[in-house]
Amino acid sequence: MKTCVSIGALLFVACTFLSAQKSPLWGDLQPGNYNVGFKIITLQDQTRLNKEEQPRTIQIHLWYPAAAVKENKLMPFKEYLQALSKTQARLNDTALKIYLKNNLNIHDEAAIRLLNTATTATASAEHAEGQFPLLIWGFRNSTTAYQAVISEYLASHGYLVAFVHPQGLQPVFRWNQTSPDFNDIAYKLYDIEFALGYLNNQSFTDQHHTGVLSWSYGGETAILLQMQNASIDLAIFLDAFDKWCIENAAKSPFFDAAKATIPYISFADNYDSTTLKLLQEFKYNELKLHTYAQTKHGNFNSLESIIPFLYKFDPPRWTQGGEPAKIAYELICRYTLAYLNHYFKQQALQIPTASAPDILVKPQTFHPSALLAPSDETLVTMGLKNELDQIRSIFAQFPELYGELTYTYLADRLLSDFRFEDALHLFELNVKLFPQSPEILMTMANTYLLFERKQDAKSILQELLIIHPKHEAATKLLQEINK
């Protein structure tokens, strides 16, 4: 039998190939089966008026699976930064360069290159056929520009990704505000609910699968949105499920732990003892905690992590720079996609692998059955009295909650109480429990230096470099000791 291919089919394949190229901002991330569209939808909520007695204006910045386009019309990155404008007026390149310099220390040449770099998205492209799961970002300043890479990536794999931005009300970054403004949070929640109502009425939206994404203080609105909206099926937190977000959310009248019954997936640089205690406020059916070594808060958005590495400018001080930033961010994106495909598309959970295995600490799964775990004080007492065998039995009894970093936190507490010998003893037991962990070995080396035991610190670092020869921090510290 002969196979016939029409000219129209060939043209369609050619058009698809032409527009399916990925942005250089993606690093080694691979696109899915869809082109990516991006558009800004402006809505007016007639039920709420601003100070001028006008309807509240809300923008939805939407990434979506797009049909093939006939020519390459990929947007430059500067279009995402337009979200910084408080009005409908566009910001010129000079204003955008000033923003990049003042906020990210990106100077002229690198700034111009970044502003004009092609993204993977085509502005206002035609939607691909079909209905797609909807993901909405918890409210956080500048999420459109800061989370553009992961949003494009997920759209290329068949997801709608939306960020809701109230026009004329630039959100305030309140890192040092101890008491949240509940009226402000309420408005943000209403904005997101209003946007969800609009998007769920569109022909391209799969109404049966909705998730919430968040970064940083966006975790507050993500937690509260999930508790208020029964249609949310999954919540993913990018360094957004910590003591600050949980404590602030818990103060809100919208907080209801009994409604936290969906899977929570959390990625972070660490989980301190306060955060672990706060988890006991929740009654959700499942929480997966992922810890990424060699990362800081800024590593969980693209503009402060993978982009500085690719464009060779220094990241902010709250970001761990270098190649680990690229590897960690790509791994976060792939893990996020794997979980979404598992929960929303019923695919087997495919665990991504890292080119540098020491970046990812093994994920821990927290279940309600772990709520009766012993207190930190009890663990310290038991560990110091009965040493290694007793600690091993504790790990065997509570594997879901306690991992290799738990005893580091406990030892840190002992140090803060001036119990130096007890802390050192606990650090050394931790090394025996986890002799392959770069995080634990680095902590042990630094602790030995604190006690002025340079030779012991050198021995630990040498062991670490045998296991992880490319560990930059260990190499640097060893060089400093040898000076």
Side-chain angles (χ1 to χ4, degrees):
M1 180 182 295
K2 294 183 179 180
T3 302
C4 298
V5 181
S6 71
I7 294 177
L10 289 173
L11 287 174
F12 175 80
V13 171
C15 292
T16 303
F17 179 80
L18 180 63
S19 61
Q21 58 185 308
K22 68 175 184 177
S23 168
L25 301 173
W26 279 30
D28 293 323
L29 290 171
Q30 296 302 312
N33 296 326
Y34 296 95
N35 299 285
V36 178
F38 177 80
K39 62 183 177 181
I40 297 177
I41 303 167
T42 302
L43 306 175
Q44 289 191 326
D45 184 353
Q46 303 288 343
T47 66
R48 292 182 293 156
L49 305 180
N50 59 24
K51 293 179 180 180
E52 288 75 33
E53 298 297 314
Q54 298 296 316
R56 183 172 172 86
T57 302
I58 300 166
Q59 287 187 343
I60 303 173
H61 300 173
L62 181 67
W63 293 267
Y64 54 93
V69 294
K70 294 183 178 180
E71 56 182 291
N72 195 339
K73 294 183 178 179
L74 299 179
M75 290 170 24
F77 186 78
K78 70 176 72 174
E79 293 300 315
Y80 290 140
L81 288 170
Q82 291 298 333
L84 298 169
S85 176
K86 296 182 183 181
T87 68
Q88 289 184 323
R90 289 180 60 81
L91 300 171
N92 59 33
D93 284 5
T94 300
L96 295 177
K97 283 166 56 180
I98 291 172
Y99 171 83
L100 291 174
K101 182 178 179 180
N102 291 345
N103 289 273
L104 296 167
N105 199 30
I106 307 175
H107 292 274
D108 289 350
E109 184 178 345
I112 293 171
R113 240 178 357 118
L114 176 58
L115 290 174
N116 293 307
T117 294
T119 67
T120 305
T122 300
S124 301
E126 181 183 350
H127 282 260
E129 292 185 3
Q131 294 184 326
F132 302 95
L134 173 60
L135 310 172
I136 197 151
W137 282 99
F139 199 85
R140 174 63 167 87
N141 187 14
S142 305
T143 295
T144 300
Y146 278 58
Q147 299 293 357
V149 170
I150 191 172
S151 298
E152 290 180 352
Y153 176 68
L154 296 176
S156 79
H157 286 271
Y159 291 91
L160 304 168
V161 186
F163 172 58
V164 180
H165 181 82
Q167 187 176 315
L169 289 175
Q170 181 73 356
V172 177
F173 176 56
R174 40 179 190 73
W175 62 272
N176 59 350
Q177 183 173 326
T178 56
S179 179
D181 182 343
F182 294 125
N183 288 329
D184 180 50
I185 291 176
Y187 264 86
K188 293 172 183 176
L189 289 173
Y190 290 142
D191 289 340
I192 295 175
E193 292 279 13
F194 190 79
L196 280 172
Y198 170 84
L199 291 170
N200 277 321
N201 283 323
Q202 305 306 305
S203 61
F204 49 74
T205 304
D206 175 2
Q207 299 180 15
H208 302 293
H209 295 97
T210 306
V212 60
L213 306 170
S214 60
W215 168 62
S216 190
Y217 277 103
E220 291 176 13
T221 48
I223 292 169
L224 296 174
L225 176 68
Q226 182 272 306
M227 292 177 176
Q228 292 299 303
N229 191 316
S231 70
I232 305 295
D233 306 302
L234 179 69
I236 295 179
F237 301 87
L238 306 184
D239 208 25
F241 196 62
D242 55 22
K243 58 186 177 185
W244 293 283
C245 288
I246 298 172
E247 286 177 341
N248 283 342
K251 295 174 185 176
S252 168
F254 297 101
F255 186 87
D256 184 354
K259 294 181 179 179
T261 57
I262 65 170
Y264 278 24
I265 313 297
S266 176
F267 306 96
D269 57 339
N270 70 80
Y271 300 93
D272 61 23
S273 56
T274 302
T275 300
L276 291 175
K277 286 183 178 179
L278 288 169
L279 299 185
Q280 299 187 26
E281 297 294 326
F282 290 80
K283 306 297 181 184
Y284 37 70
N285 60 344
E286 182 179 46
L287 170 64
K288 292 188 180 294
L289 305 178
H290 293 249
T291 309
Y292 289 80
Q294 303 184 52
T295 61
K296 297 179 182 178
H297 185 59
N299 290 97
F300 295 84
N301 74 80
S302 56
L303 191 54
E304 295 177 335
S305 59
I306 187 172
I307 290 177
F309 173 76
L310 295 173
Y311 281 73
K312 303 187 186 307
F313 58 83
D314 293 333
R317 66 181 182 278
W318 51 85
T319 299
Q320 174 65 49
E323 189 174 14
K326 171 181 176 293
I327 295 171
Y329 189 77
E330 291 171 351
L331 197 58
I332 290 164
C333 291
R334 293 201 294 269
Y335 257 100
T336 299
L337 178 63
Y339 279 115
L340 287 170
N341 287 342
H342 176 64
Y343 285 105
F344 286 171
K345 300 182 179 180
Q346 290 72 54
Q347 295 181 11
L349 184 60
Q350 298 179 353
I351 302 300
T353 57
S355 56
D358 55 332
I359 294 294
L360 176 66
V361 177
K362 184 179 179 181
Q364 301 176 58
T365 301
F366 179 90
H367 292 289
S369 60
L371 294 178
L372 298 178
S375 67
D376 289 353
E377 289 77 13
T378 302
L379 285 170
V380 171
T381 302
M382 293 173 69
L384 293 175
K385 281 187 175 180
N386 302 291
E387 301 201 1
L388 190 56
D389 289 341
Q390 182 61 54
I391 291 182
R392 284 201 175 109
S393 71
I394 294 170
F395 274 106
Q397 188 176 358
F398 303 105
E400 295 89 358
L401 182 57
Y402 293 98
E404 63 184 71
L405 298 182
T406 302
Y407 290 93
T408 299
Y409 298 136
L410 300 181
D412 284 340
R413 288 183 56 190
L414 290 174
L415 284 175
S416 66
D417 291 337
F418 303 103
R419 296 172 61 183
F420 299 119
E421 293 301 324
D422 287 345
L424 180 62
H425 185 58
L426 202 53
F427 277 127
E428 290 174 337
L429 288 175
N430 213 13
V431 170
K432 292 179 182 179
L433 282 164
F434 301 99
Q436 302 289 317
S437 168
E439 183 78 16
I440 298 304
L441 294 174
M442 277 298 296
T443 301
M444 188 74 258
N446 282 304
T447 304
Y448 278 139
L449 290 177
L450 182 66
F451 284 84
E452 298 184 354
R453 292 170 55 175
K454 284 191 176 182
Q455 191 56 48
D456 289 328
K458 286 177 62 175
S459 299
I460 287 289
L461 291 170
Q462 289 165 352
E463 290 178 21
L464 195 162
L465 290 170
I466 291 173
I467 303 169
H468 304 284
K470 296 182 180 180
H471 198 288
E472 294 181 4
T475 302
K476 183 177 179 180
L477 185 56
L478 188 59
Q479 290 171 347
E480 291 178 359
I481 294 174
N482 289 328
K483 287 181 179 178

